[in-house]
Amino acid sequence: MHTVEPPYVAVIFTSTRTDTDDGYDRTAQRMSQLAARQPGYLGHESARSDGLGITVSYWATEADAQNWKLVSEHRIAQDRGRDTWYRDYSVRIAVVTRAYGMDRR
Amino acid sequence: MHTVEPPYVAVIFTSTRTDTDDGYDRTAQRMSQLAARQPGYLGHESARSDGLGITVSYWATEADAQNWKLVSEHRIAQDRGRDTWYRDYSVRIAVVTRAYGMDRR
């Protein structure tokens, strides 16, 4: 995924799930849509295997990332995550200083 | 995964694979072992789904992350990655400034 030239902010969310699905996929999809409408949203990428999930979302500024955390519908989802969906999780807020890559397309 | 108190460095490697395996898993495993012996290595986490892979490795300093990039056996693996295993990839070097989470265990 292409973002912008650094610096920008990456929020690294890693998690392991409980066995309880109960609306998880629907909420995850809804949060993707909602995040994409937030000011400063640059994109996000997710993968999950062997129980470990990693989602990295990219934001123009730390304030933009923080504002997304405080969106009320997202806060409700975060509460359900803590209560129901996640066994454990970590959130790391980071400033991307350099980026490079390869794209064959 | 627990790391140390921020600040520390996260290297976010995202990739999509080609259809060619040809030693990929063996090399990935070897690189995991080799990275863990590098000075300043704090840990790494990987997940892959729907073709997208995300690996985040954590380092005490940017110099430590840079030194791992330059390890000769790792450079050979990077060449094979570019030539054979990856359709595209991005590397983002980021400074983790804050971290929090939940751990039920």
Side-chain angles (χ1 to χ4, degrees):
Chain A
M1 196 190 57
H2 289 287
T3 39
V4 296
E5 287 298 302
Y8 53 89
V9 171
V11 178
I12 306 163
F13 177 74
T14 53
S15 63
T16 59
R17 288 282 314 279
T18 60
D19 296 327
T20 311
D21 270 335
D22 194 17
Y24 174 79
D25 286 341
R26 193 178 57 240
T27 301
Q29 196 175 359
R30 169 73 181 150
M31 290 305 117
S32 287
Q33 294 167 349
L34 209 57
R37 290 185 218 151
Q38 278 293 115
Y41 172 85
L42 301 176
H44 77 276
E45 305 178 291
S46 284
R48 180 173 294 277
S49 50
D50 296 333
L52 176 74
I54 305 177
T55 296
V56 189
S57 61
Y58 303 101
W59 302 89
T61 68
E62 286 200 48
D64 293 327
Q66 181 69 15
N67 286 338
W68 164 235
K69 182 172 188 258
L70 300 176
V71 167
S72 59
E73 194 176 336
H74 186 206
R75 291 186 72 153
I76 293 166
Q78 290 169 58
D79 286 345
R80 290 218 59 202
R82 274 188 293 269
D83 293 345
T84 306
W85 292 315
Y86 296 119
R87 181 166 295 126
D88 49 66
Y89 66 81
S90 295
V91 180
R92 292 179 173 93
I93 295 90
V95 179
V96 177
T97 55
R98 284 188 302 128
Y100 60 91
M102 177 187 77
D103 191 343
R104 283 188 215 281
R105 289 163 300 187
Chain B
M1 196 191 59
H2 289 288
T3 39
V4 296
E5 287 298 302
Y8 53 88
V9 171
V11 179
I12 305 163
F13 177 75
T14 53
S15 63
T16 58
R17 287 280 317 278
T18 60
D19 296 328
T20 311
D21 270 336
D22 195 17
Y24 175 79
D25 287 340
R26 193 176 59 237
T27 301
Q29 196 175 0
R30 170 73 181 150
M31 290 305 117
S32 287
Q33 295 167 348
L34 208 58
R37 290 186 217 150
Q38 279 292 116
Y41 172 86
L42 301 177
H44 77 277
E45 304 177 291
S46 284
R48 180 174 293 280
S49 51
D50 296 332
L52 175 74
I54 306 177
T55 295
V56 188
S57 61
Y58 302 102
W59 301 89
T61 69
E62 287 201 47
D64 293 325
Q66 181 68 15
N67 286 338
W68 164 235
K69 183 172 187 259
L70 300 175
V71 166
S72 58
E73 194 175 336
H74 186 204
R75 292 186 71 151
I76 293 166
Q78 290 170 59
D79 286 345
R80 291 219 58 204
R82 276 188 291 270
D83 293 346
T84 306
W85 292 316
Y86 296 119
R87 180 167 294 127
D88 49 64
Y89 66 79
S90 295
V91 180
R92 293 180 172 93
I93 295 91
V95 179
V96 177
T97 56
R98 284 188 301 129
Y100 59 91
M102 177 188 76
D103 191 342
R104 282 189 216 280
R105 289 165 299 189

